[in-house]
Amino acid sequence: MKYGFIGLGNMASAIIEGMAASGKFKDDNLFGYNRSEAKTLALKEKHGLIPCRSASELARRAEVIVLAVKPQTMEDVLSEIAPVITPDKTVISIAAGKTTDWYEERLCEGAAVVRVMPNLNAKVKAAVTALCGGKNAEERQLALADGIFSTVGKVYRIEEDKFDVFSAIGGSSGAFVLMYIDALSEAGVRAGFSRSLSEELVAATVVGSGLMCMNSDEHPVALMNRVCSPGGTTIEGVMKLRELGFDSAVQQALAAVIEKNSSL
């Protein structure tokens, strides 16, 4: 199979890294095109990526085409590659906000489009990824996409009308978690720890709490209550966060992301 990536930014690079590390694609060809030649050459050196001189060249040579460019430039990319897209190719997009219908209208009749939404945790093979197919995508093409993105984490097949919500929860919220880690680390520094130790402790605690939640049938609040002893110290911090609007701030931030996604 011949796989091609148009756009070789952080996400595409992480996916290529995952494909290479999985060992499942060693007999396949990987093509790449990026406006910055340096990224292309780096991936060529590291993973044997075959450079292409244009998006249209890549779309002509590859059987599976992953569109990893920003939503704002997607129209121009589709205009360039549309003449060489045929129904036997699989077009996978990881751009936010663009529906499968939107791609199908700009490509050939019968174009098989798969929409995918990974998150940046793909860099450490711990992504959560949403996946759905357009009206012409068959199960084998969904399986192809699943095979690519399962190398960098867990894949969820969801209805397309839930993609904006998934993008916010599975994608943008990672930035909220990193903000939390930074804020708590700064508090640790203020209390006397070094920055490096504080960050390590906070990050490890976040990872551990996440794993505990994922591996438990209990509600997160039930797990939280185990940490909060009656009249203890932790409940004081929890009450202060709620007094300052912690829950509301997170929920409003998520709503803002969903609204922005819908407008793209």
Side-chain angles (χ1 to χ4, degrees):
M1 185 69 69
K2 298 176 181 178
Y3 298 87
F5 287 79
I6 298 176
L8 297 172
N10 289 333
M11 186 60 69
S13 297
I15 296 162
I16 292 168
E17 177 81 36
M19 292 173 72
S22 73
K24 297 177 181 178
F25 299 87
K26 59 184 178 181
D27 296 325
D28 299 298
N29 289 324
L30 289 179
F31 297 89
Y33 168 71
N34 193 71
R35 286 184 298 177
S36 168
E37 189 180 25
K39 290 182 178 180
T40 311
L41 295 177
L43 288 167
K44 176 186 177 182
E45 180 71 23
K46 192 171 183 180
H47 299 301
L49 189 79
I50 302 169
C52 293
R53 292 168 294 180
S54 66
S56 59
E57 179 193 345
L58 182 142
R60 178 176 53 80
R61 298 178 71 178
E63 298 164 271
V64 179
I65 300 146
V66 181
L67 303 175
V69 300
K70 296 183 184 300
Q72 296 87 338
T73 62
M74 189 64 75
E75 185 93 54
D76 291 339
V77 170
L78 291 185
S79 295
E80 181 179 348
I81 69 172
V84 295
I85 297 295
T86 52
D88 59 312
K89 294 180 182 287
T90 302
V91 178
I92 300 172
S93 171
I94 66 172
K98 304 299 185 186
T99 66
T100 53
D101 285 347
W102 188 87
Y103 292 96
E104 289 163 353
E105 289 170 1
R106 289 158 175 78
L107 298 173
C108 67
E109 186 171 350
V113 177
V114 180
R115 185 179 175 190
V116 179
M117 180 58 62
N119 68 14
L120 194 57
N121 292 342
K123 290 176 70 67
V124 291
K125 301 179 180 61
V128 291
T129 298
L131 184 153
C132 74
K135 63 185 178 184
N136 303 312
E138 301 175 357
E139 174 57 32
R140 66 178 180 83
Q141 291 160 318
L142 295 176
L144 278 172
D146 199 311
I148 294 170
F149 289 89
S150 63
T151 66
V152 292
K154 191 166 184 178
V155 177
Y156 298 85
R157 295 195 186 187
I158 66 172
E159 298 298 319
E160 187 164 18
D161 62 2
K162 299 295 190 296
F163 254 65
D164 286 343
V165 178
F166 185 94
S167 176
I169 295 175
S172 300
S173 70
F176 307 165
V177 175
L178 292 169
M179 287 178 67
Y180 171 77
I181 290 172
D182 180 62
L184 204 54
S185 298
E186 285 190 345
V189 173
R190 187 177 185 184
F193 274 145
S194 68
R195 179 75 193 202
S196 59
L197 178 58
S198 190
E199 283 183 1
E200 184 174 336
L201 289 172
V202 174
T205 302
V206 168
V207 170
S209 297
L211 287 172
M212 182 171 65
C213 188
M214 288 180 67
N215 293 322
S216 174
D217 294 329
E218 294 186 74
H219 192 281
V221 172
L223 295 172
M224 180 192 76
N225 286 337
R226 290 189 183 187
V227 190
C228 297
S229 302
T233 56
T234 304
I235 190 63
E236 288 297 319
V238 169
M239 295 305 294
K240 178 58 70 173
L241 283 172
R242 287 183 169 161
E243 177 189 327
L244 295 173
F246 181 82
D247 293 0
S248 176
V250 170
Q251 291 161 12
Q252 289 185 60
L254 196 73
V257 172
I258 294 170
E259 183 179 354
K260 179 65 175 181
N261 274 334
S262 300
S263 71
L264 291 176

